[in-house]
Amino acid sequence: MPNSRVLLQDAPGKRVLLLGNEAIARGVLEIGIGVVTTYPGTPASEIGDSISAIAAEAGLYMEYSTNEIVAVEVAAGAANSGVRSLTAMKHVGFNVAADAVMTLAYIGVKGGYVIVTAGDPECYSSQNEQDNRFYALLSNLPFLEPSDPQEAKEMTISAIEISEELELPVLLRPTTRVSHTRGPVIYGRLTKPNLKGEFVRDVRRMVMVPSNARPMHVRLLEKLERAREISEASPYNRVVREGTGELGIISSSSAYNYAVEAADLIGLDVGILKLGMTHPLPEKMTGEFLKKHEKIVIVEELEPYLEIQVKAIAKEYAPNVEIYGKTGRLYFPRKGELSTRTVIAGLAEITGKESPINFKKIDEVFSEILKDLPSRPPVLCAGCPHRASFYVIRKVTGENVIYTTDIGCYALGIAPPLNVGDILVCMGASIGTAQGISKVTSKDTIAILGDSTFFHAAIPGLVNAIYNNHKVTLIVLDNLTTAMTGSQPHPGTGVTGMRGSSERILIEKVAEGCGVKYVKVVDPFDIKEAATILKEALQHPGPSVIVFRSPCALMVAREKRRKGAKTVPCEITEKCTNCMACIKLLGCPALILEDKKVTIDEALCMSCGLCVSVCPYNAIECKGNS
Amino acid sequence: MKEFNIVIAGVGGQGILLAAEILGTAALKEGLNVRVSEIHGMAQRGGSVISNIRMGEKVFAPTVLEGTADVLLGFEPIETLRNLKFTSENTFVLMNNEPVLPPGWATKMISFPSVEEIIVKISGFTKNVVVMKAAKLAEEAGSILTRNVVLIGGLAATGRVPTEIGSLKEATCELVPAKYKKMNMRAFKLGYEHVQKNVKPMVF
Ligand code: SF4
Ligand code: SF4
């Protein structure tokens, strides 16, 4: 991230092009947050990463925690000692953190505390697209939804202010189209972070045994009433357009952007109520808006979160208003992200107006073009050590083994020709699901997960395998980084979020300590040795663990560039018979066909040597690998 | 100014995010309101990548609507073709002539259109098509990694973006690592001169 330093400029009024996530990081600096914790996950990663790059200089504390619940707990401790804190995670990470958050809502906080949970409608880089706004209803916590980078920054600041007023954590939810959109952000003043806290004992408020939890739940509900007043007066909830007609739109988040443009393109005379603080909803403001219109359209992404509540408000304020959205008849899709196009389609249908653009015609013309066009899904990088691991796994196990897989780059192993991965649920699930499968089928079961995932969620599953004696083999693909989310460090790397060093925790030592009797570490590019070990592990009567350790290819490339070392690509010699074994077995993007001849793309080849090992004719030469 | 929409299409790893950031930064330098949308994570590992840059006072949505792109900047021919739905007969297409073969084409024997076929197909939609060999020019500049800046230079020479050459250059210098600044300026110049020499200038 080249421009993290830009975030440190004390230049109030300056306009800077920032990613939504960078804008949140800037908000951290402007409101003087002292503690930032995170577990990386797309689309939230750059929040923690931008802070990590400048934390020492800015004088705040930042850590990559082992997982989201630990991240919340660490920050909750700091916030309850009076230090302003923020935790960032992706939407599914909130599921991991939820146990802590639900009860922290009873306890509350002393210093302001924001939990950022970035949503991913359309599953651009996620296993599901759950709508985390329902966590607001579940936890009773205040909830903010920015629609662009500027608002993302402002809301980070407001979240801390609301949090301190109510003594409650506040949830902030950008989505992919906010987190990963760049837009102009106007800087405010920087505030020096305060890292000095004091923990004041207050057992009734903070120790949630049943006798204390009951009254604190009541307290939370009281705070919720105050939160509703804040919401009524919030600058984020406002009628941005009065309109003179019968039609009104209520919208939030990125959906609001599409709604404004769609309404203008169709040429609708509408009133628009933009909601930014979406829990608790501003009941009166919404009710008054409903009263002014005959038809209300709710434009929101994913679930009908606003719609359900607006319908309840309508019962009281405007029982005759017609409400259009996605309960009952579906005017907007309930899955995936919205776009100006999908909103135009919905609005056109509701109002009976014409769409200004003939999308049908565009679709017809382009389906013709797209018909024969090969798709281009993401693949493992050239030189990726996972490719070697999957090759070894395939070679040893053939077809008769079940592979449970996990969250990370290695999920790409499901694609041909590697075809490794039979079930993928969530972080750490590979080790758990493997045990159930092996129990009830007679098949060998191999659980696959990455190094960061191992620390995040696999250790209880591994302990379970030993305790309940499940005969599974766990393969940890240890590439020494959290690769998919942008190369963050983790407990096995010996590097911290402050960019300092710490004790490296070795996966093999953890496995041994848990009581695994068969634990081996091997370099997956040493194919013979790796295959021998895997065979042995599968023979082992109890649970076994193999760590396939080799650094991420992107990291190797970056390191080489830093040192000014050149990669000498491998070469195909005249011994090549064009049998294409290398291409068919590995699917490395650097192995290409040029004029029907197998060739190595010099710009892509990382000189990992894997194709050298699989070529049956010894036709690939790997010259200097410096 | 009416909104101005740029769609960039290519393959993960080609330097698309930086190109988008350069265009966005240059626009901001000229006081324009701007939105740049990016996709990170899973989508970057050699998969199809698109980025949108939108400029103008009334721009809210970060994504471009089908049929409304003013410029389609194609980093790769197949990906350019895949995103033709964003174009109309008024769209200007600048395409890098550097096919990246999709995975599985060899094992599954997938066929795909040749660059010539692709150009013919695109020309069926808009007559404003310029094709350039950015990879070759990038290597000439010092590294294939500068192909994004070659294309930005080329785009600057077409006069089809509302940002001045100066701001584009400045933005490039700010965003590339300091030690590669010179190399990238060479890339910019090569791209610029190539298009200037080989393409008739367009009038708005
Ligand atoms: S496997 Fe070896 S012999 Fe066969 S095509 Fe590849 S390089 Fe040539
Ligand atoms: S050495 Fe072979 S397998 Fe490794 S990156 Fe180069 S072409 Fe791909």
Side-chain angles (χ1 to χ4, degrees):
Chain A
M1 192 163 306
N3 68 3
S4 273
R5 296 204 43 92
V6 171
L7 297 176
L8 278 172
Q9 290 175 355
D10 196 9
K14 188 171 172 170
R15 240 167 127 240
V16 183
L17 189 72
L18 294 185
L19 209 54
N21 283 344
E22 294 169 338
I24 292 173
R26 174 70 191 186
V28 165
L29 302 174
E30 287 187 12
I31 191 71
I33 287 174
V35 170
V36 174
T37 64
T38 191
Y39 184 80
T42 315
S45 307
E46 298 80 8
I47 303 168
D49 296 350
S50 324
I51 294 292
S52 172
I54 53 174
E57 198 170 333
L60 56 83
Y61 173 74
M62 186 275 165
E63 72 169 42
Y64 291 106
S65 310
T66 32
N67 65 27
E68 292 85 355
I69 190 166
V70 175
V72 165
E73 290 158 353
V74 170
N80 269 302
S81 307
V83 171
R84 289 178 172 170
S85 305
L86 176 144
T87 301
M89 64 193 73
K90 68 185 292 176
H91 60 321
V92 286
F94 200 88
N95 299 333
V96 177
D99 199 6
V101 179
M102 294 304 133
T103 304
L104 185 64
Y106 287 19
I107 296 173
V109 289
K110 285 290 174 202
Y113 180 36
V114 199
I115 304 174
V116 185
T117 147
D120 190 15
E122 202 68 45
C123 299
Y124 281 107
S125 204
S126 303
Q127 65 269 35
N128 79 25
E129 54 180 0
Q130 67 185 47
D131 190 335
N132 274 14
R133 295 180 299 172
F134 282 96
Y135 269 120
L137 293 175
L138 196 58
S139 65
N140 286 316
L141 292 176
F143 200 86
L144 298 170
E145 290 185 73
S147 63
D148 61 26
Q150 174 70 29
E151 236 178 28
K153 187 200 81 164
E154 283 166 14
M155 282 187 179
T156 306
I157 294 167
S158 303
I160 289 289
E161 289 163 354
I162 296 170
S163 171
E164 286 178 355
E165 177 171 355
L166 297 172
E167 298 196 340
L168 275 185
V170 171
L171 310 181
L172 175 72
R173 175 193 179 247
T175 57
T176 295
R177 292 300 182 188
V178 176
S179 282
H180 288 164
T181 285
R182 282 181 199 281
V185 173
I186 299 165
Y187 278 8
R189 238 172 232 308
L190 295 176
T191 305
K192 205 171 147 21
N194 172 29
L195 254 171
K196 272 256 157 304
E198 191 191 348
F199 185 85
V200 183
R201 221 173 243 149
D202 185 352
V203 172
R204 275 181 202 221
R205 185 173 81 77
M206 289 206 259
V207 181
M208 285 305 99
V209 292
S211 56
N212 290 342
R214 286 180 208 113
M216 288 311 286
H217 187 190
V218 176
R219 181 91 187 85
L220 171 60
L221 296 173
E222 287 162 8
K223 288 179 181 178
L224 189 61
E225 281 322 299
R226 173 71 195 113
R228 200 176 301 284
E229 289 165 23
I230 293 175
S231 183
E232 294 286 357
S234 168
Y236 302 119
N237 295 333
R238 62 183 194 276
V239 176
V240 290
R241 203 178 277 185
E242 290 289 348
T244 57
E246 51 163 26
L247 195 67
I249 291 178
I250 300 178
S251 190
S252 73
S253 181
S254 21
Y256 163 76
N257 299 320
Y258 309 130
V260 173
E261 291 202 14
D264 284 346
L265 278 163
I266 304 183
L268 292 177
D269 175 12
V270 281
I272 300 180
L273 174 62
K274 178 182 192 302
L275 297 175
M277 183 164 178
T278 52
H279 188 257
L281 281 188
E283 213 178 284
K284 268 189 230 112
M285 182 189 292
T286 310
E288 292 309 320
F289 186 76
L290 296 179
K291 275 193 207 163
K292 285 204 185 107
H293 299 92
E294 280 137 54
K295 288 180 174 180
I296 290 289
V297 184
I298 316 266
V299 183
E300 59 186 321
E301 243 161 11
L302 298 174
E303 306 296 337
Y305 166 86
L306 295 175
E307 189 175 341
I308 292 168
Q309 299 181 73
V310 170
K311 280 193 164 162
I313 295 173
K315 270 221 158 67
E316 211 173 301
Y317 284 81
N320 293 327
V321 73
E322 291 169 38
I323 296 177
Y324 301 84
K326 42 183 129 181
T327 59
R329 194 157 153 209
L330 212 60
Y331 289 98
F332 305 98
R334 194 165 163 169
K335 56 143 189 69
E337 65 173 350
L338 292 181
S339 63
T340 307
R341 174 179 174 168
T342 46
V343 178
I344 287 177
L347 288 177
E349 201 184 333
I350 292 163
T351 58
K353 294 220 174 187
E354 281 283 312
S355 161
I357 300 172
N358 190 343
F359 293 116
K360 232 177 157 177
K361 195 169 141 232
I362 295 181
D363 285 347
E364 271 167 27
V365 172
F366 289 100
S367 67
E368 199 49 43
I369 289 180
L370 292 176
K371 208 175 63 209
D372 318 311
L373 219 54
S375 66
R376 192 191 302 273
V379 286
L380 293 171
C381 304
C384 173
H386 299 334
R387 182 172 288 105
S389 302
F390 289 135
Y391 172 72
V392 169
I393 292 168
R394 267 280 159 206
K395 197 171 135 93
V396 170
T397 59
E399 290 298 320
N400 214 23
V401 165
I402 307 287
Y403 312 104
T404 61
T405 190
D406 225 292
I407 307 289
C409 286
Y410 44 89
L412 298 172
I414 59 169
L418 302 164
N419 301 313
V420 176
D422 297 314
I423 180 170
L424 187 165
V425 188
C426 64
M427 290 288 283
S430 66
I431 179 67
T433 50
Q435 295 167 44
I437 293 169
S438 92
K439 192 86 217 158
V440 300
T441 65
S442 51
K443 297 209 168 169
D444 280 339
T445 313
I446 296 181
I448 291 161
L449 48 77
D451 39 352
S452 192
T453 309
F454 177 84
F455 292 109
H456 177 286
I459 299 171
L462 183 60
V463 171
N464 190 68
I466 301 151
Y467 171 47
N468 290 309
N469 200 21
H470 290 288
K471 195 199 149 327
V472 292
T473 298
L474 171 64
I475 295 183
V476 183
L477 303 178
D478 183 3
N479 59 3
L480 304 162
T481 188
T482 317
M484 179 60 91
T485 48
S487 278
Q488 294 82 2
H490 62 64
T493 62
V495 178
T496 68
M498 295 301 290
R499 309 279 162 112
S501 60
S502 73
E503 184 75 24
R504 248 185 100 186
I505 300 168
L506 293 171
I507 293 163
E508 57 274 26
K509 287 273 189 312
V510 174
E512 278 164 13
C514 289
V516 184
K517 295 283 179 308
Y518 188 98
V519 181
K520 286 275 164 79
V521 182
V522 64
D523 179 350
F525 286 110
D526 186 347
I527 287 171
K528 254 173 110 185
E529 180 66 11
T532 310
I533 287 174
L534 178 53
K535 275 183 211 149
E536 254 174 43
L538 290 170
Q539 295 301 320
H540 184 76
S544 51
V545 172
I546 310 174
V547 181
F548 279 178
R549 180 170 293 144
S550 180
C552 165
L554 291 180
M555 218 159 67
V556 173
R558 220 172 294 140
E559 189 59 15
K560 278 188 178 166
R561 234 177 296 145
R562 204 177 55 83
K563 286 190 185 147
K566 272 232 165 348
T567 301
V568 184
C570 289
E571 268 172 44
I572 310 254
T573 67
E574 63 289 352
K575 283 194 254 174
C576 173
T577 63
N578 228 19
C579 74
M580 298 219 277
C582 52
I583 288 179
K584 286 184 184 158
L585 290 168
L586 302 179
C588 171
L591 289 163
I592 56 172
L593 275 187
E594 226 169 65
D595 301 326
K596 305 224 164 84
K597 285 256 342 147
V598 174
T599 316
I600 287 180
D601 183 331
E602 294 183 6
L604 283 182
C605 177
M606 289 290 300
S607 197
C608 73
L610 182 61
C611 53
V612 178
S613 315
V614 307
C615 174
Y617 301 97
N618 283 323
I620 309 182
E621 265 177 28
C622 197
K623 293 217 183 93
N625 195 353
S626 47
Chain B
M1 186 187 88
K2 197 191 141 295
E3 303 89 79
F4 194 87
N5 298 321
I6 305 175
V7 173
I8 309 187
V11 178
Q14 285 188 313
I16 289 167
L17 296 189
L18 180 63
E21 197 180 349
I22 291 172
L23 288 164
T25 304
L28 193 77
K29 279 182 186 302
E30 295 179 19
L32 297 170
N33 176 38
V34 62
R35 294 284 183 278
V36 181
S37 74
E38 308 176 350
I39 290 297
H40 297 212
M42 191 72 114
Q44 276 171 285
R45 302 281 176 275
S48 302
V49 172
I50 75 167
S51 179
N52 295 169
I53 301 102
R54 306 192 63 218
M55 308 166 193
E57 255 352 280
K58 286 198 177 154
V59 163
F60 287 84
T63 44
V64 173
L65 198 52
E66 283 92 333
T68 67
D70 295 285
V71 168
L72 171 59
L73 180 57
F75 273 56
E76 198 277 344
I78 294 173
E79 297 311 313
T80 313
L81 192 57
R82 198 192 305 285
N83 289 289
L84 267 191
K85 63 169 182 280
F86 293 109
T87 67
S88 68
E89 69 276 8
N90 300 320
T91 305
F92 176 76
V93 180
L94 178 64
M95 186 175 89
N96 176 24
N97 176 2
E98 182 194 353
V100 179
L101 305 180
W105 49 272
T107 35
K108 286 188 271 166
M109 290 302 161
I110 297 170
S111 65
F112 49 89
S114 71
V115 176
E116 289 68 34
E117 285 170 301
I118 289 174
I119 295 172
V120 170
K121 279 197 182 176
I122 296 175
S123 309
F125 287 90
T126 167
K127 296 284 169 261
N128 309 319
V129 189
V130 171
V131 179
M132 67 189 286
K133 292 192 166 144
K136 204 179 125 263
L137 294 170
E139 266 163 24
E140 212 174 295
S143 164
I144 182 76
L145 295 178
T146 62
R147 72 156 87 63
N148 46 10
V149 175
V150 169
L151 285 164
I152 296 283
L155 192 58
T158 63
R160 295 299 297 240
V161 279
T163 36
E164 301 285 334
I165 300 160
S167 336
L168 285 166
K169 272 191 178 166
E170 243 177 72
T172 306
C173 283
E174 276 170 31
L175 293 169
V176 300
K179 63 173 171 178
Y180 299 124
K181 211 187 271 184
K182 266 206 184 123
M183 193 200 283
N184 278 288
M185 279 302 98
R186 270 202 302 278
F188 191 102
K189 189 159 175 261
L190 284 170
Y192 187 90
E193 284 171 357
H194 176 85
V195 169
Q196 212 182 27
K197 236 182 284 157
N198 299 303
V199 185
K200 288 194 292 295
M202 301 277 178
V203 202
F204 262 109

